[in-house]
Every structure is written in C-alpha cells, then in structure tokens.
Amino acid sequence: MQSLFDYEQAAVKRAWNDFVTNREVNPSDVKDYVLRGWQLSQSYGINPDKPSKAIQLSREEFNELKLQHSDMLDAANTVLKMIEISLREPGFIVTVTAYPGYLLMVSGADKELNEADRKLNRPGVLRSVEQVGASALSLSMLENKPVEVCGLEHYNQQFKHWTCASAPIHDTHGNVVGSLTVSGHLPNKQSHTLALVTAAASSISTQLREKSLIKEQARLNSMLLSTYNSITDGVIAVKKDLNISHANYTAKKLMGVDDKSVESISLNDLLNHGDKIFIDEIFTNGLPQNRELSFKGKNSNQKFLCRFLPISSNDSVEGLTIIITNKKQLIDIAKRVGGNYAKYEFSDIKGSNAFLLSQIELTKKAAKTSSRILLTGEGGTGKELFAQAIHNHSAAKNGPFVAVSCAAIPRDLIESELFGYVGGAFTGARSNGMIGKFELAASGTLFLDEINSLPLEMQVKLLRALQQNEVVRIGDTRPTQITARVITATNINLMDAIKAGDFREDLYYRLNVIEITIPPLRKRADDIITLAEFIISRHCNKSGRTMPSFSENLTKSLQKYSWPGNVRELENLCERALLLSTSNYLDEDHFPSYVSANAQSREVNLGTITDHQKDLIQRTIRFNKGNISKAAKELGVARTTLYRSMRKYNIQAH
C-alpha cells in the first residue's frame, strides 16, 4: 500500500515533469511556495541537473560576517542542544544562515557534515536562490515563514534525497536577518521537525530582540548619564528622609561633595536650620518652590538659586528633584541677554583737545587699578563712554558692565534696584525675589550715573555698603560680598551739593578716589568739526550715503556755538541736518536757527542753562508733554537744574 509520503512525492514528480516541459502545473500537486521557488530558480538560469557553484567568502570576510551576526550565533548556540535532544534519530545537520543566504554555522553528525561539505554546504558559502536554486533555507527567508522542502521538491536534483525544514529569524524590527534549518536524509524525516525549527527560530528572534533592547537601553542610559552629568545646572534627587539618592557631577561640585557615591549623604547635613523648615513645608504642601540656598561645607560662602520639584505618588510627596543653578551663571546669562556689557573702548573717544587727552591718559592709568573713580562733566559729555572704556581696559573686563541712572529710578525703588530683595519682602515684590545691581555686576563693573540724584537716606545705605564691602537684600539678614568695581558720575559740582546739604561729604570721599573731569564741548572748539564729521560719516555708512561737505559759515557757527547739550546735542543736530539735506553739502540752513544766531563762545557754570536756551527748554517740555524727567534727560541736565531754569525764565510745565 502506497504511503502518504510516496503519494505526495508522486504528485510532485508530475508537477516537476509538467514544469520542465512548460505545461501548466496542477496547483494541487505541489506546494505553492515550492512552485514559486522553481519559477524563481529557472528565471536565474539555474540548471537543476548540475552541481551548484556557490560563492565562498574569504577568511577575513567570513570573520567579519560572523562578528556582524555574533548575537544571532550566540542565541543559536543556546537552542542547538534543545534541537539535538528533540530529534529522536541521528543523521541531521543544523544550519544557521545570514540573509540572503550565507552559511554562518553548520552543526551535526560527522557523516552528514562531510556529505554536506562535498556539496558546498559549508560555513562561508552563499546558498541563495540566485546561486544554487530554491531550497528550504532560502525559501523561508524569501517567503518570510516556516517552510519544509522534501525530496523531489528541491529544484536542484542533487538534494532530492534530503528533507529540510527551515524558519526565518527576525531582528527587533521584524526584519528577516537569517534562517535556521534542520536537514536530513529522507528516511529520517520526522513529522515534528518543522514545528521544532519554528520554535527554535522564534527563540533566537526573541533573544535578538531582548539583546537589542538591552543594548538600546544601555545606549540611552549612557546618553542620559552623559547629558545628566554635562548640564551646567546641578540636579539632585532626594528621598522622603532627605537622603540623596542621585546627584550629577555639577551638583556634587556646587555642594562641595567630593565622594563619587552620595547615597550616604543627607540633605539635612548640608542645609541651615531655616532652609530645613522650608523643605519640610514643600513635603507638606507639595508645591514647586524657588529659594536661594547656601550649602554647608567648602562652598558655604556661595549662594545658589534652587528650584524644588516635588515627586508625588498617591497624593503624597515621596521625594524632591532639586535644580541648583550657580548665581554667577545666571548673572552671565543676564549680562548677555540683558545688555549688561561694555562695547566702547578708549579708541572710541574722538578728539585731540589737550585737556581731553590728558584726562584720557589719567583714566587709562586709573582703569588698571581697583580704585573707585568719579567722573564729572556736564550732561552729554560722554561719561558712560568713559565708564565703558574703563571697564574694557580693566581686570574686570570679562565680567558684566551694569549701568544704573540714579535719576531715572523712582525714589522708593532705588534701594531694591541696587541691593535686591527676597521673595515677599514688601507689597508688590516678586515671589522669587530679585537680584540687585550690585550682585548682577559681580566680578565686573557697576556704573552709577547721576549719583547726585541719589536721595540722602539712600546715600547712607550706599555708604555703609561700600564701607562694609557687602550688601544685604531687603527682607534678608544674610550679607553678600561686593565683588564689583564701582564707578560713579555726576553732572553737577558735588562740593556745591555738599555745601547745600544735598550730598554727604563722607560718601563723596568714599567715591572720589580718582576724579576724572570730562570737558564740555564748548571748551573743545578744536574737536567740534572732527566730532561732527565722525558722527555724520557714521550715519552715512549706515544709510549708504556719500559723506557731505561743510560750508565755511557752518564750520564757524558750529565752532562758536556754546553747545549746552554737549556731544549729545551735536549728535542729534548732525543727524537732523543729514535728514534735511538733499545734496552732498551741509550749510547753516540744515541746523536750527539758534545755532547760528547764538554762535559765540559762552562760559557757563557746570550744570546751568544759559539764557538763549529758553526757547529750547520750552520746545523740549512741549515735546515731552510736560514730563519734566524726560525733558531733563533729553536736555542732559538734572531735574533740579531744569526746575531752577524754569523758575528763572517763568516757564510752565504744561
């Protein structure tokens, strides 16, 4: 009686005869994937009756291929014993293949291995459909499913005495990367071989995915750890008992903790009593908070800005993540973003006036010291230009340059602006507090312009800060050391202000270690045309215009005009003249009439406004809609000076 296997092989033989004679093949006579394999093999010109000619990799190429698929080989080794135990009869070989058909490993009985080797079924050989025709090994990868090819189903007739079961191996993304094949002689065919191979290939795929996930997790952890340790902010994780569980490199450095392991350190050991109470409150209310802290230890004299983020579970705070920022880092950011830097050098001070040059030389010498400097000069003479040049010529040039106009800050805010305040120090204060200008200028320069406008009560506090070399924020008790160099400027004679009781004599001598006097423009007649040409040239370069020439009358008028607004006024009038001019020529008509009408030298006391400026004052006040502060700033004088002039000339503010 004919067996089922013999019946199937007879059907395959009919199908094969129909196939090679180009007749239509009955689909029921052969498996669909076997027929597709025959068709593909034929399309590649494979001769089914001749031994195959396969490609053999060199030793170096094969070693590189094995290294590339080392994970797959490691996983295969763990399942080989399972296959050996499950196969009831000897005489089988197991082949591990890398896509598209390179044999990586062939294992089995010596007799079968020798026979396989004679047929080029050895490691390093390419057994793809293109090379040797369709087999279970290649079809499982092409079809992406477990297949079994027995006897006459092989396209290459040299394998018609073999039975082969093969299943694809997948990577973590589901891509076919190889196959696992069990091959044996037909008499040894077992019904469970395909199921066994399928399970084994699935096990290898699972191990590949697990290894890939482990490697990816390790890579991500490494990247996270690298990022965690490289960020400029300190990051620490604190458990409910305040023991530190994690701290990045920056946090350890900021806290002054040198140990590689921080698990034995408690935050309690690093904080002051008041800060411990604050943290207890966070665990109670569960709300993110900001606070300035100083840690005990070698960095105890430094303050850090900390952000506390509660870690909650089931409505209970189980720990904290604390972000620690070095105040200097924030100040550096403020310097870059807030414009707290000096852009002018001594080379930007134009002029050849002898007295001006002597003051520049004195200033250069003073810049190299740490002594406090007092700049005196009328409004618009360029006191801030000098201050910036001093900063850029000093040892503090890499620090911030913070300029404060004492006349521009409201009287009740000047203290908080200079010294800062802690959160909730007064009504309207920011909840997180504010850094004062002294702290913002740390390791740099603080320029206090119009120091004469500072209220007397504030002068006392400034004097104390300079004497003690430290400031205390409003609402705080902890002092902060002053590391900024202080440069001040005034547009009035401070000795006169001292006699009038408007300025403290002790503060004057504290500020005036080196006094630099900047001459008014009317005393620099030899520089006026040079400055005017420089100003107009700069505007022409910006707008792409040709530099205009000056008429002889204009040159004389500019040199004889008293320039109460000094260089600031000259710059404004030059820009105005350039806008009015439609040619490459400037004349008196392009400047206000009062320039030529009053073109004569006048000696004016520092901080006063001459009679011929009544019209200028009235127009400036009208332009600023009666705002005396803005009008005084535009005129380059103090408000008190402007009020005196308004009373003198009977000028109303409206």
Side-chain angles (χ1 to χ4, degrees), residues 189-452:
K189 184 179 184 304
Q190 298 179 9
S191 59
H192 67 282
T193 303
L194 182 60
L196 175 64
V197 170
T198 301
S202 177
S203 175
I204 295 173
S205 299
T206 300
Q207 290 184 59
L208 285 181
R209 285 193 292 272
E210 289 174 351
K211 282 194 174 184
S212 177
L213 289 174
I214 291 171
K215 286 182 178 180
E216 180 66 13
Q217 187 67 42
R219 186 183 70 84
L220 291 175
N221 287 341
S222 178
M223 289 178 60
L224 180 61
L225 184 61
S226 177
T227 303
Y228 174 64
N229 280 320
S230 64
I231 58 178
T232 54
D233 284 338
V235 181
I236 63 176
V238 180
K239 295 182 286 187
K240 198 166 187 176
D241 58 5
L242 292 190
N243 285 333
I244 298 174
S245 61
H246 297 84
N248 69 349
Y249 174 79
T250 305
K252 294 176 185 177
K253 185 178 178 181
L254 294 178
M255 293 187 298
V257 177
D258 295 326
D259 297 335
K260 292 183 179 179
S261 174
V262 295
E263 295 177 359
S264 60
I265 299 174
S266 172
L267 200 60
N268 269 322
D269 300 331
L270 301 174
L271 297 179
N272 296 307
H273 178 69
D275 295 327
K276 295 176 187 176
I277 296 174
F278 167 76
I279 291 179
D280 287 341
E281 292 174 354
I282 298 178
F283 275 98
T284 301
N285 58 41
L287 298 175
Q289 297 288 337
N290 296 317
R291 188 178 179 90
E292 189 175 71
L293 296 181
S294 58
F295 297 100
K296 294 178 182 178
K298 66 179 184 180
N299 290 333
S300 59
N301 61 329
Q302 296 185 43
K303 292 182 178 179
F304 306 101
L305 300 177
C306 299
R307 174 73 170 163
F308 296 85
L309 303 172
I311 302 171
S312 300
S313 176
N314 298 324
D315 298 326
S316 174
V317 178
E318 300 298 329
L320 296 174
T321 298
I322 306 176
I323 312 298
I324 309 172
T325 303
N326 194 330
K327 251 176 30 174
K328 184 180 182 301
Q329 178 187 340
L330 286 183
I331 289 171
D332 289 342
I333 294 172
K335 173 187 172 184
R336 294 192 299 270
V337 177
N340 294 315
Y341 60 92
K343 60 181 178 180
Y344 294 114
E345 303 279 353
F346 281 112
S347 59
D348 294 309
I349 303 174
K350 306 299 179 182
S352 57
N353 177 265
F355 181 74
L356 175 70
L357 293 178
S358 69
Q359 293 301 290
I360 291 175
E361 287 305 309
L362 176 60
T363 308
K364 286 181 179 179
K365 293 178 182 178
K368 293 298 184 182
T369 72
S370 59
S371 301
R372 297 190 181 109
I373 297 175
L374 175 65
L375 303 172
T376 64
E378 297 178 14
T381 52
K383 294 187 289 297
E384 184 166 348
L385 177 62
F386 267 76
Q388 291 194 24
I390 292 169
H391 173 80
N392 284 329
H393 206 65
S394 72
K397 62 183 178 182
N398 293 324
F401 176 85
V402 179
V404 179
S405 174
C406 298
I409 303 174
R411 189 184 191 95
D412 55 346
L413 294 180
I414 186 72
E415 182 178 2
S416 62
E417 283 288 324
L418 291 181
F419 299 155
Y421 58 83
V422 296
F426 51 85
T427 303
R430 298 175 185 173
S431 60
N432 298 331
M434 186 183 78
I435 296 175
K437 295 298 190 289
F438 269 100
E439 291 183 70
L440 194 61
S443 300
T445 300
L446 176 63
F447 174 52
L448 300 176
D449 196 10
E450 296 188 77
I451 192 69
N452 49 283

Side-chain angles (χ1 to χ4, degrees), residues 484-505:
R485 182 187 195 171
V486 177
I487 300 175
T488 53
T490 176
N491 56 13
I492 68 169
N493 189 323
L494 285 183
M495 292 306 295
D496 291 341
I498 292 171
K499 292 175 184 178
D502 294 330
F503 201 83
R504 293 182 62 93
E505 186 174 9

Side-chain angles (χ1 to χ4, degrees), residues 93-200:
I93 61 174
V94 181
T95 306
V96 179
T97 307
Y99 185 86
Y102 287 103
L103 305 192
L104 291 176
M105 182 174 66
V106 182
S107 174
D110 291 341
K111 179 181 177 181
E112 282 71 24
L113 285 177
N114 291 332
E115 183 180 348
D117 185 77
R118 288 194 300 273
K119 296 180 179 179
L120 299 180
N121 200 62
R122 65 170 77 105
V125 172
L126 178 61
R127 307 291 292 178
S128 63
V129 176
E130 296 94 325
Q131 297 300 316
V132 300
S135 64
L137 177 150
S138 56
L139 283 177
S140 64
M141 293 187 287
L142 291 175
E143 296 284 333
N144 193 15
K145 66 180 181 181
V147 300
E148 191 171 37
V149 177
C150 298
L152 297 175
E153 291 177 335
H154 286 93
Y155 182 79
N156 196 315
Q157 295 300 295
Q158 67 174 326
F159 299 117
K160 65 182 179 180
H161 301 298
W162 288 78
T163 176
C164 303
S166 184
I169 299 171
H170 301 95
D171 64 12
T172 187
H173 303 294
N175 301 315
V176 175
V177 292
S179 66
L180 180 70
T181 308
V182 172
S183 305
H185 290 113
L186 277 178
N188 297 328
K189 184 179 184 304
Q190 298 179 9
S191 59
H192 67 282
T193 303
L194 182 60
L196 175 64
V197 170
T198 301

